[in-house]
Amino acid sequence: MPLFDPLWKLPGPQAARMETHLQHVMNPRKSPVTHEEWQNKYGKTFRFHGFGKHDYRLISFDFRAITHILNSPTYEKPWQTRAFLARLIGIFSMEGNEHRLQRRLIGPAFSRQSVKSMTPIFLQKAQQLCDRWDSLLPQSFGSDDFYPSDPPPAYDAVAMETEKVKREPIDVAQWISRASFDVIGLAGFDYRFKALDDESEEVYGAYRRMFDVADKGPQLRGILELYFPIIRTLWPDHGTRVTNESLRIIDKAGRKLVLAKKASVLAETSKQENKQKDILSLLIKANLSNDPLKRLSDQELLDQCSTFLLAGSDSVSLALSWCFHFLSLNPSIQTRLRDEIFSIAATVPSLVDDEDLFMPITPAPSKYFRASATPPPTYRTVAHQSICDSWDKLEGSPYLDAVVRETLRLCPPVHSTIRVATTDDQIPVSHPVVLQDGTVVEKGGSISIRKGSYIHIPIEGLNFSTDIWGSDALEFK
């Protein structure tokens, strides 16, 4: 009963019987204003209404409270969230000991040394992406090289086609997402999606279609399916059919990949070699050396591949797209960042001389017009050690680090997250909370929460907080 819910005592906005505040909290177009207004009115920790007047939910901007919630085993992702994610991936949908076991197995694959060894792949795909963009852009009409002294008869037609291409925007986020798939495919499990080429690879298409369905959110039918899964079987809709077919393609290819990787790892182990560097191979090695009772199944190994792709593709593309956008609006920041990167490149020969880093195999495009149909070059990597050495210099670039952090502050990949209390608990606070009856929970005190209550963690709200970042919190600086 609501009257017995301790959250009822907390300050917060009122609601009618069937009113909800979820849109105010979870919609990025509304939440920045809502967060600021509610903090000014109710303090750092308060409650709001979920599905109706009697669905009390906690939201806090108090770091002490948030730290407790995110680190205590008492709080887990709600079963609804886990059920939705479990349909697509593995580790994100797990909690408790199962989650901790998988994290221990996966940890070594994401060590600093492991990530550093992937640097050539990052640079190779970045260069290929630049070449693809370059092929979509016409050469400048302002250069002397472009204007022939005696234009050929077809010059006007070429010029018109070029102007047409100029007016066609390039979807930066979509292209970076394609590059991210290629990077994760190679670095994650040594699989070539060839997404930067033509997006025709079958498994890439399956993942993309499945993620496109997931991006639309569960909607009303999706929520009903969480409570009544049989709906998917009896009355599958378009989204369900697309997801099922995508999972079939991914599962078929994934099982072949895992079996092949296992054979390669076992062959290396018998020869005492260590050539396989992709994350899946590292996972299999860690898995084989573990307690047989605690090993991951082939399906769980495949789930990790999907997890890497879901967590790493669109999140990276959106972050980098926003970064480019902010840099375009701040030329002075862009110039300073370029100068810092160029100063690093000058000390690493392979980053200055393209021929040392990547050797194009396909021919160069036309002199007068770079047609988008020009096939992209493929590359073979050389000077591996000098490329890896550049990692330390790039990682230690203070201004590059500041630009990336500021981008992620203003455009976090995850807007917010949610937890549910699995038992009754006391949540410590570092800011006073004035209860409905006027009682004050002082700094260092705690507020009560009962089992089953939902807690919203406003990641974006913390990133936009003027109390933390100042009055210009919404500016890129």
Side-chain angles (χ1 to χ4, degrees):
M1 292 295 291
L3 289 178
F4 297 99
D5 188 341
L7 294 183
W8 174 78
K9 301 177 181 178
L10 296 182
Q14 299 300 319
R17 182 177 296 275
M18 299 303 294
E19 186 179 356
T20 176
H21 294 135
L22 291 175
Q23 274 288 314
H24 297 279
V25 173
M26 302 177 72
N27 186 337
R29 296 182 178 180
K30 297 181 178 181
S31 57
V33 174
T34 301
H35 288 156
E36 195 68 20
E37 288 181 351
W38 284 358
Q39 282 187 83
N40 292 335
K41 190 171 183 179
Y42 305 116
K44 295 290 185 183
T45 303
F46 48 91
R47 54 110 181 109
F48 67 95
H49 298 277
F51 293 104
K53 180 177 181 179
H54 302 302
D55 180 14
Y56 293 120
R57 301 193 175 200
L58 180 70
I59 185 169
S60 181
F61 295 80
D62 187 320
F63 280 115
R64 181 70 184 89
I66 292 173
T67 300
H68 174 79
I69 293 165
L70 293 180
N71 287 282
S72 171
T74 298
Y75 303 92
E76 298 181 348
K77 290 185 286 289
W79 71 263
Q80 296 92 333
T81 302
R82 286 184 279 137
F84 176 73
L85 290 174
R87 181 113 164 94
L88 308 177
I89 57 175
I91 191 170
F92 282 169
S93 65
M94 295 181 177
E95 291 289 342
N97 292 331
E98 216 172 14
H99 179 74
R100 284 189 288 274
L101 171 61
Q102 290 211 4
R103 286 197 61 175
R104 281 198 298 271
L105 283 171
I106 292 171
F110 288 93
S111 67
R112 185 178 182 278
Q113 191 59 38
S114 295
V115 175
K116 181 178 178 180
S117 68
M118 302 171 193
T119 305
I121 296 174
F122 302 155
L123 295 180
Q124 177 183 348
K125 287 301 174 180
Q127 181 64 54
Q128 187 179 352
L129 175 60
C130 289
D131 286 342
R132 290 311 309 267
W133 282 346
D134 200 37
S135 72
L136 297 174
L137 296 172
Q139 287 184 339
S140 173
F141 274 84
S143 65
D144 294 335
D145 290 339
F146 191 88
Y147 282 108
S149 57
D150 184 16
Y155 177 78
D156 289 341
V158 173
M160 289 177 62
E161 185 66 18
T162 301
E163 288 301 320
K164 179 182 177 181
V165 174
K166 275 184 175 181
R167 293 192 293 270
E168 293 180 0
I170 293 177
D171 189 337
V172 172
Q174 196 262 354
W175 274 101
I176 297 177
S177 179
R178 289 168 66 171
S180 300
F181 259 87
D182 277 354
V183 168
I184 297 170
L186 289 170
F189 31 98
D190 196 23
Y191 190 90
R192 284 159 179 76
F193 286 116
K194 301 179 182 178
L196 280 176
D197 294 344
D198 56 15
E199 295 189 287
S200 63
E201 201 278 327
E202 184 182 34
V203 179
Y204 167 79
Y207 271 117
R208 179 51 67 197
R209 290 190 296 273
M210 185 173 68
F211 291 168
D212 286 344
V213 171
D215 285 344
K216 296 176 183 178
Q219 307 299 323
L220 178 59
R221 178 190 167 97
I223 294 173
L224 289 175
E225 287 179 353
L226 290 175
Y227 291 89
F228 306 102
I230 196 172
I231 292 176
R232 293 196 200 104
T233 303
L234 298 179
W235 299 287
D237 62 357
H238 175 70
T240 300
R241 288 192 292 271
V242 168
T243 300
N244 288 341
E245 176 60 16
S246 297
L247 289 171
R248 185 191 65 79
I249 294 172
I250 292 167
D251 184 70
K252 180 180 178 181
R255 289 185 182 280
K256 290 181 180 178
L257 178 64
V258 170
L259 288 174
K261 280 292 175 186
K262 275 187 173 181
S264 297
V265 169
L266 289 172
E268 280 190 3
T269 302
S270 64
K271 297 178 182 178
Q272 295 185 337
E273 296 177 345
N274 188 26
K275 295 179 181 179
Q276 303 287 333
K277 299 292 187 181
D278 58 278
I279 293 173
L280 180 57
S281 295
L282 295 175
L283 280 176
I284 291 174
K285 290 175 186 176
N287 203 37
L288 292 176
S289 63
N290 210 324
D291 181 344
L293 297 177
K294 297 180 180 179
R295 288 177 182 172
L296 301 179
S297 66
D298 287 357
Q299 184 59 51
E300 288 171 327
L301 287 169
L302 180 57
D303 286 342
Q304 305 315 312
C305 300
S306 296
T307 300
F308 303 149
L309 286 165
L310 180 63
S313 56
D314 286 354
S315 59
V316 170
S317 66
L318 289 173
L320 286 177
S321 299
W322 277 111
C323 185
F324 292 156
H325 175 69
F326 290 137
L327 291 174
S328 72
L329 298 177
N330 297 272
S332 60
I333 296 177
Q334 182 181 153
T335 299
R336 181 176 171 183
L337 177 61
R338 183 188 294 112
D339 290 344
E340 181 181 78
I341 294 174
F342 278 8
S343 68
I344 295 171
T347 65
V348 183
S350 62
L351 295 182
V352 178
D353 185 353
D354 284 346
E355 293 184 359
D356 284 344
L357 179 54
F358 304 113
M359 301 183 68
I361 297 171
T362 52
S366 164
K367 176 181 179 183
Y368 293 116
F369 183 70
R370 298 178 183 177
S372 60
T374 300
T378 54
Y379 301 92
R380 62 184 177 87
T381 306
V382 294
H384 181 278
Q385 187 57 48
S386 59
I387 296 172
C388 289
D389 290 344
S390 69
W391 168 274
D392 295 322
K393 294 184 173 64
L394 287 171
E395 192 179 34
S397 306
Y399 203 66
L400 174 61
D401 182 69
V403 168
V404 171
R405 288 177 181 272
E406 183 69 348
T407 299
L408 294 176
R409 181 183 72 83
L410 288 174
C411 302
V414 179
H415 172 269
S416 58
T417 187
I418 188 171
R419 295 292 185 271
V420 64
T422 58
T423 62
D424 294 349
D425 193 31
Q426 296 291 317
I427 300 176
V429 294
S430 59
H431 292 269
V433 180
V434 181
L435 303 182
Q436 296 273 17
D437 61 2
T439 305
V440 178
V441 178
E442 299 291 351
K443 174 181 177 180
S446 61
I447 58 173
S448 300
I449 191 167
R450 70 175 181 178
K451 177 181 178 180
S453 295
Y454 291 101
I455 304 100
H456 289 250
I457 310 296
I459 298 173
E460 181 195 71
L462 294 167
N463 290 358
F464 290 178
S465 174
T466 54
D467 289 344
I468 300 171
W469 306 101
S471 58
D472 57 354
L474 297 181
E475 297 180 27
F476 182 80
K477 288 188 173 181

